[in-house]
Amino acid sequence: MLPNLGPRRFQPALLDLSSVEDHNTQYFNFLELPAAALKFMPKPVFVPDVTLILNRFNPDNLMHIFHDDLLPIYYTMQQYSDLDDEARLVFMEGWGEGAHFDLYRLLSSKQPLLKEQLKTFGKLMCFTKSYVGLSKMTTWYQYGFVQPQGPKANILISGNEIRQFASFLTERLNITREEGDDYIVVFKRTTNRLILNEPELLLALAQEFQMRTVTVSLEEQSFESIIQIISGATMLVSMHGAQMITSMFLPRGAAVVELFPYAINPEQYTPYKTLASLPGMDLQYAAWRNTMEENTVTYPNRPWDQGGIVHLEKEEQERILASKDVPRHLCCRNPEWLFRIYQDTTVDIASFLDLLRENLKKPNPKKAKVASTVHPGRVREPKCQTSVQASNEAKLSVSWQIPWNLKYLKVKEVKYEVWIQEQGENTYMPYILPHQNYTFSENIKPFTTYLVWVRCIFNKNLLGPFADVLICKT
């Protein structure tokens, strides 16, 4: 679609096969032959489909797949009416299928072709109608090849286009958003950049926001099931990483909370902050950073590409270990950045919750609930009895009567939540029970005072108030 090329035809940057700017491996080049030369060439194999020929930038990384490939392909196809569902994508960068090839398959009804496969069709291929390269209209971030990474200088895309693309994908994946209770999603990583006190973080979030918390993991779940969960979530919490691109599927009004390891300045790495802040995305954003060196676990002995530094000069290693802030740098092999970004982190719960209280309005992406929803009352007459079995074994039995308003309501499911806390401790054990009495023996110690709270839950998400605390001595 370029105008008359004239002398520009030989500029290396005439056309990029990828949507990524300033990258010297993505240029498209061509040379011409007179038609008569066909006599001396092998018989051409014709590709009858309308094709879009492009380079994927990094098909093993979810952020790159979405930002550099899927969104630009989708909107490049929208631009030209014959790039429809019948068009064929041809990937010329030379990678294998990569980790999420199925996502590329959603963009057209025809199987995409890889460069490697073209060789098997014949020596000379003739594309009868082809578009080459990708639109750069949809990208919002540059990766730091020329200047340190950050938002693009002129961002042309808004959250509205991204949400349109996200709903196209959820439709193609047959995902419907479930209406129901509010919940928080925490992204779990299983190989590096771990949250070392994940259970404690989940519990703190559940208590602070009075919501369910669920974890998702790219390594352990299908992509569809993760998007299904995220598309109904009230908040997404995750360590900085490619998986956070899935925040584009969050409902409007939801919150994105990004965690950064020690010595990494959130202000310098903002692809997801930029995404959340695009007009029309309607997402809240907060970044938490680990500032306590004792809460980090480093891996100097790993290979360099996983953050190891033992291959460096001794002085350089010592400088990196002493540094409290990774200086701004270019992509893509800065050893100090790699060393710090692959750390594991124990999240300091107090500073994390303070950050959320300061930065987030109460997230409420769902429509206001219908006013006629009736919550359970307190459970009545809660009692506890204890008995000591042996010097290290005790039992604690708790019983109660149903809430007063239960007998006037049509409620499908009634459960009870019991919290047991050892006096003087700041953590508690929560239990969800179907009955009105229960005997606890696990983790119950003799000659100890326990505080017990009981409340009723209707239909999974309508919580009642806790009854007065029971003080139970074994």
Side-chain angles (χ1 to χ4, degrees):
M1 295 297 166
L2 292 169
N4 181 12
L5 295 174
R8 283 189 356 185
R9 64 190 321 134
F10 299 119
Q11 286 182 3
L14 169 71
L15 179 66
D16 288 346
L17 279 164
S18 157
S19 68
V20 176
E21 292 182 36
D22 305 324
H23 199 285
N24 57 8
T25 64
Q26 308 295 332
Y27 299 140
F28 170 73
N29 253 309
F30 66 97
L31 56 117
E32 299 134 304
L33 285 171
L38 283 170
K39 289 205 291 280
F40 308 102
M41 298 182 81
K43 198 168 174 325
V45 174
F46 283 88
V47 180
D49 313 313
V50 178
T51 54
L52 175 58
I53 297 178
L54 64 118
N55 279 5
R56 295 169 302 163
F57 190 69
N58 178 356
D60 285 332
N61 175 297
L62 206 55
M63 158 71 187
H64 289 294
I65 289 170
F66 272 89
H67 178 268
D68 309 337
D69 303 346
L70 297 177
L71 254 171
I73 293 169
Y74 176 75
Y75 278 108
T76 302
M77 290 175 81
Q78 297 274 311
Q79 254 176 300
Y80 304 111
S81 57
D82 48 356
L83 284 175
D84 55 16
D85 196 50
E86 298 289 298
R88 195 181 293 273
L89 301 173
V90 181
F91 302 145
M92 291 300 287
E93 78 294 313
W95 292 73
E97 288 192 350
H100 294 279
F101 198 62
D102 284 350
L103 294 175
Y104 294 95
R105 285 198 180 100
L106 300 172
L107 293 164
S108 145
S109 59
K110 300 205 164 117
Q111 173 77 357
L113 292 176
L114 302 174
K115 186 178 189 175
E116 198 45 42
Q117 294 166 318
L118 298 184
K119 295 177 185 164
T120 61
F121 295 129
K123 282 267 177 13
L124 179 62
M125 293 193 70
C126 183
F127 292 91
T128 35
K129 178 153 196 196
S130 195
Y131 294 80
V132 179
L134 281 183
S135 162
K136 296 181 171 50
M137 300 267 291
T138 62
T139 53
W140 64 86
Y141 206 72
Q142 57 84 18
Y143 301 127
F145 304 122
V146 177
Q147 62 202 51
Q149 64 165 280
K152 272 178 40 168
N154 52 342
I155 296 174
L156 301 171
I157 191 165
S158 80
N160 300 319
E161 287 86 27
I162 289 175
R163 288 194 172 280
Q164 187 190 325
F165 163 74
S167 62
F168 161 81
L169 271 197
T170 44
E171 226 165 273
R172 286 276 161 114
L173 290 166
N174 290 325
I175 292 171
T176 46
R177 204 170 114 195
E178 291 171 19
E179 291 304 323
D181 59 337
D182 292 343
Y183 56 90
I184 295 169
V185 175
V186 176
F187 241 115
K188 187 161 93 180
R189 295 174 64 99
T190 55
T191 48
N192 54 41
R193 211 175 304 160
L194 308 179
I195 300 172
L196 295 172
N197 57 336
E198 196 177 276
E200 202 187 336
L201 181 71
L202 292 168
L203 188 59
L205 282 163
Q207 282 176 297
E208 178 71 20
F209 292 98
Q210 293 296 303
M211 284 181 205
R212 270 195 312 140
T213 49
V214 290
T215 58
V216 294
S217 154
L218 285 173
E219 292 83 1
E220 296 164 4
Q221 278 160 282
S222 72
F223 187 75
E224 290 88 317
S225 67
I226 291 176
I227 297 309
Q228 169 94 51
I229 294 167
I230 287 176
S231 65
T234 302
M235 185 188 298
L236 178 64
V237 179
S238 172
M239 269 294 176
H240 173 76
Q243 69 285 349
M244 289 200 73
I245 194 67
T246 55
S247 59
M248 69 167 63
F249 294 94
L250 282 166
R252 292 180 190 278
V256 181
V257 183
E258 187 171 9
L259 312 176
F260 286 85
Y262 180 75
I264 299 253
N265 181 347
E267 289 305 305
Q268 294 174 15
Y269 310 97
T270 58
Y272 312 112
K273 179 185 183 177
T274 308
L275 168 62
S277 317
L278 290 175
M281 269 319 281
D282 299 330
L283 293 174
Q284 306 182 60
Y285 175 88
W288 175 88
R289 167 186 192 176
N290 176 23
T291 53
M292 304 180 185
E293 196 162 7
E294 65 275 18
N295 282 353
T296 191
V297 177
T298 60
Y299 295 94
N301 299 324
R302 281 186 180 165
W304 73 266
D305 57 345
Q306 292 162 37
I309 52 172
V310 283
H311 62 289
L312 300 171
E313 299 283 325
K314 193 101 183 81
E315 283 141 40
E316 179 63 357
Q317 287 185 45
E318 283 163 8
R319 184 194 69 72
I320 288 176
L321 288 167
S323 159
K324 294 184 176 5
D325 220 335
V326 176
R328 295 200 74 128
H329 54 90
L330 292 181
C331 193
C332 299
R333 295 190 168 200
N334 181 288
E336 185 170 347
W337 148 255
L338 290 168
F339 174 65
R340 290 301 185 188
I341 198 60
Y342 281 120
Q343 299 170 111
D344 296 340
T345 304
T346 299
V347 174
D348 174 61
I349 301 292
S351 69
F352 173 74
L353 291 179
D354 284 347
L355 170 96
L356 298 192
R357 288 175 196 136
E358 273 167 49
N359 287 286
L360 301 182
K361 300 196 289 294
K362 263 281 189 266
N364 181 20
K366 311 287 190 306
K367 309 279 181 293
K369 297 267 190 305
V370 185
S372 67
T373 322
V374 179
H375 283 257
R378 291 175 167 215
V379 301
R380 291 174 301 163
E381 301 170 43
K383 296 188 185 69
C384 63
Q385 282 178 306
T386 61
S387 59
V388 173
Q389 306 325 97
S391 62
N392 59 352
E393 203 183 320
K395 289 194 167 163
L396 167 59
S397 299
V398 184
S399 64
W400 57 88
Q401 298 300 316
I402 65 169
W404 179 79
N405 60 349
L406 181 53
K407 61 177 191 240
Y408 299 102
L409 296 169
K410 290 193 183 75
V411 179
K412 285 205 284 286
E413 188 184 15
V414 178
K415 294 225 163 121
Y416 296 93
E417 186 171 18
V418 178
W419 293 9
I420 299 180
Q421 182 178 46
E422 190 177 324
Q423 196 165 30
E425 292 291 326
N426 59 1
T427 57
Y428 64 85
M429 297 175 289
Y431 300 89
I432 302 274
L433 307 169
H435 317 295
Q436 284 157 251
N437 51 44
Y438 195 81
T439 300
F440 302 90
S441 53
E442 205 185 331
N443 300 326
I444 302 294
K445 300 186 285 210
F447 317 115
T448 308
T449 301
Y450 290 96
L451 307 179
V452 180
W453 290 266
V454 185
R455 68 170 163 191
C456 180
I457 304 174
F458 289 172
N459 299 343
K460 291 196 175 132
N461 57 359
L462 294 173
L463 306 173
F466 282 108
D468 290 336
V469 61
L470 295 172
I471 295 167
C472 314
K473 298 186 171 68
T474 53

